[in-house]
Amino acid sequence: MAEQRRTGGGDTGVTEHFLVVFPGYHRSWAAWIAQVLERHGHRVTLQRWDPPREVPLEDSLGDLLLSSGRVLLVLDDWFFELGPRPAGEWNDVLRGFVAAHSDRFTAVNLTNRPLLPATAVLEPASLWGMGEEGAEERLLGRLGLERLRTPRPPTTRVRYPDTRCEIWGEVPRRNPRFTGRDDLLAELHQRLADAERGAAACTLLGMSGIGKTQLAAEYAHRFSPDYDVVWWVNSDDRTIQRDRFGELAVELGLGIGSEPGERIRAVRDALRRGEPHANWLLIFDGWDDTEGINALLPQGSGHVLITSRNRGWSEHTDILEVPAFLRPESTGYLMRRAPHITAAEADEVAAEFGDVPLPLVQAASWLGESSMEVPEYLRMVRERRLSTVDEPVTGDGFPQSSITSWSILLNRLRRAQPQAIDILGLCTSFAPGRIPLGLIRAYPQADLPEELRWMATDLPAWTRALDTLVNYSVLTRETRGPVGADMGPHQESVHMHRLVHDIVSKLISDDSRAVHRRAVHTLLAEADPGNPVDSRNWPRYAELLPHLELSGALGSDQPRVQETVLNCLRYCFRSGEYSGGLKLAQQIREHWSRTMDPLAQPMLDLANQESYILRASGRFRDAYELDRRVLERLQTAPRRNELAELTTKSAMANGLRHLGRYGEAHSLQQEVLEGTTQLLGSDEVTTLAARHNLGVGLRLLGRYAEAYELDLETLARRENVLRARHINTLNSGNAVTNSLRLLGRYRDAVARQEPVVRLHVQVLGPQHPQTLEARAQLAMGRRREGGFTQDVGPSMAALLDQLVQLHGREHYRTLAFLTSYGNYLREHGDLSRARELIAEAEAGYRVLLGPAHPVATGMLANTGLVMQVSGERAEAMSMFEASFAGLTATLGPDHPWVLGCALNAASARNFNGRIADAVELSRDTLRRARHTLGDEHPLTLSCVIALAADLRAAREHEEAGKLEEDGLLGLTRTLGAQHPHTLSARQRTRPYWDFEPYLG
């Protein structure tokens, strides 16, 4: 049936066609209007409206009438500013051309601000401030259309534009003066829509000031109906970026703690799964450093938008170049902001600034606020006669003339609003990006310079000065906290573009800069929570950290500021931000070493924290050398600092353990424990740490029973002194479990570790590094127990993924669990994957520790086990013999690791026909195991079964039978009749020993 067009009335069953004409700014409204009309049986065509200024308005409107049906204009005050055109031109055309074709034109109005008087000819239906149902009724009523009783279901549901998506996170306020870029936005939307699922990521690439952030913000607002979640992440600083990204966990309702790494992994997993929301948009603004992106960049059914100056993103995402404004966009923007200038004058200003948006915004603000004539303005800019500083080379393609433009603005503000200059100067002593200016009002007791005290006491002046800077587009306001909450002035923050920060910094006098820096690092010290061990304080430290350098805090001689700097370094260690911590430690050392004695207490504290972070990063040799140099200085100093010596010796002992020098480490750790006990007492925190570390050393020496008793004592003391939920007490719980497992008491280890893990999760969160270590202990205990309570394979695989995300694959803790999981897979028949993981771990340890390190040597045993199961018996024997000989040389013949290697070597000798050699080695190994581990240890009992097998091969059946019977009884008694080791022994499967790498 042919379609009919209706000119009015309410005839049912008649289909109309509508051309919906809208400015790109209101795409979401146009899409919703189209959905309403199509649901009620009508055809709709959308057309973005941005007629060229040089084309007569009547001609552009006449072109719209070439379509069939009625033309529906989506109006607000912005609609009439496109071009822009003089108001008189619009009024003339509305009264003439539009009035003559009033049967073809109709309109809706989206604003409560007054429109041009002649707009009355369109009789626009106002949708401003209405709910969806009321807006739909008013739209249909204005068009004379009846509501179908059963509207057609939409193909794709479009959200009502006034209904914000469910989660909306700190997206900058929409810029009501956003200009042009419609084609760029449409292309960006299309690229994200067309990308493969899980790979919809696009980077807006361009120089500073080109408008990337404004473009990303406009995209978020314009296309927000497409998404359930829109989350903005300021990414100028890695720590703030991680903290902000992790905050999404709270909005998504993920029940986790405050540790950044834990939150990030939980958010990425939720986004990947699309639960609770599959349609999400993540915007990373100012992400220039692509290092470590795999731990942060989300994947899934949503979209990722990045703004950056770094072309390296082309290797990871789609790239969309952001060019300068088109000249019509430049001139249109200037003429809207400064209506008194002509098109020719706007063209001249745009050419002066190269069509770069940021300086154009500032120029437009200046011209609009001051009403200065363009010739005078350009003369001042070109003559640079108001510039009082040397012109810096800005680089990055930024026009030189913009420096003078900023100088003009600052001089104007000095005369008209000097307090705005105070705030602006203060901002340049923070890092660019998000600036927590609210600290000034949050800590009015701070010792601010006299000329800045008004900021904490005069709220009206503060508000006026900030408003001035916002009006001049120098700063943009931000808020922190729950959406819709009433925010106090102390929570206020602003955003300062990096390029604005760089330029204004060069235009601030040295004297002012010195005053501002003292004020800022004083405020940072006031804001220091004082306890970086408590994970609840980590978001605050993440906020303070980026501002340490520019505020001058790193070079401050104030003890309180120096303590804040060290607390930020301690935060980096405690939260697992090791790379950032090492960079910060180096910066602190560069500043402090210029004026501070190497043996001053802050320098000693710095060395101690840096040593911790180096070891946590796997740089064991560097940490040890740092500690050794500090100890040499302490021991040759004129005045002895006994506590500092003990602290440094404790760090050195830690380093020696990681370097495989276990005997030396044990002796030094004993000395530390005796010294701290005598100097501080047995229950002081430092003494308890020394006692804990002595237990670590005993485990590495294979003295498991002694370690267990010491661990129990340390745990009891820490529970009494620090309480059960302290991070150090939790670590003692891990140590007790570790010792129990090494003693072969697998069931006891699992039973103890389960509540320890629960407490870790409650206090630190499931993804904290120490929690992951606790979970690894539980997984290894369950594997040794025999996996009766659950199949440990899936949980081990998941835990390995989390360790890789936290540490990377080359980190020593990841390598340890790679080994454990590889051994598990070998036991369960996945030889290919097991070989792959074990080979990766062996190579990783060899690179990290060197081939002669006991752990690197012990890894050969695991490689040999894979080879032996694969039928490569000769190659396996070579590996077993190498690990046996190497560990014997470094650890002595009675170390449990050596005994395990001997068990494997005897097995290989038997399989390769060297029966007599196997019997001899098995007898000696059993004797040593009984002496070192006791008769009931699973390794000792495995040695019994192994010797019985070798004796049977040597045809000494009577002794073999008796030993086998004793071994089976012992395994049944200690592990249970259904334990895999017991079942294997009963089936006369040769026992083996796999190596658990442990560095302490």
Side-chain angles (χ1 to χ4, degrees), residues 412-422 461 464-466 468:
R412 175 184 173 88
L413 290 176
R414 284 190 183 97
R415 294 190 300 270
Q417 180 62 275
Q419 289 168 321
I421 292 292
D422 287 341
R464 284 194 302 272
L466 266 184
T468 298

Side-chain angles (χ1 to χ4, degrees), residues 337-382:
R337 290 296 305 271
H340 68 284
I341 71 176
T342 66
E345 289 173 332
D347 189 82
E348 191 175 2
V349 174
E352 180 70 25
F353 293 105
D355 294 298
V356 176
L358 185 61
L360 281 175
V361 167
Q362 198 273 323
S365 299
W366 170 269
L367 290 166
E369 293 284 339
S370 67
S371 297
M372 180 181 285
E373 295 300 325
V374 168
E376 174 66 10
Y377 174 75
L378 289 177
R379 183 175 61 80
M380 294 171 69
V381 169
R382 290 164 182 165

Side-chain angles (χ1 to χ4, degrees), residues 6 53 198 230 405 436 459:
R6 179 174 55 183
R53 190 175 62 244
V230 177
S405 179
L459 180 57

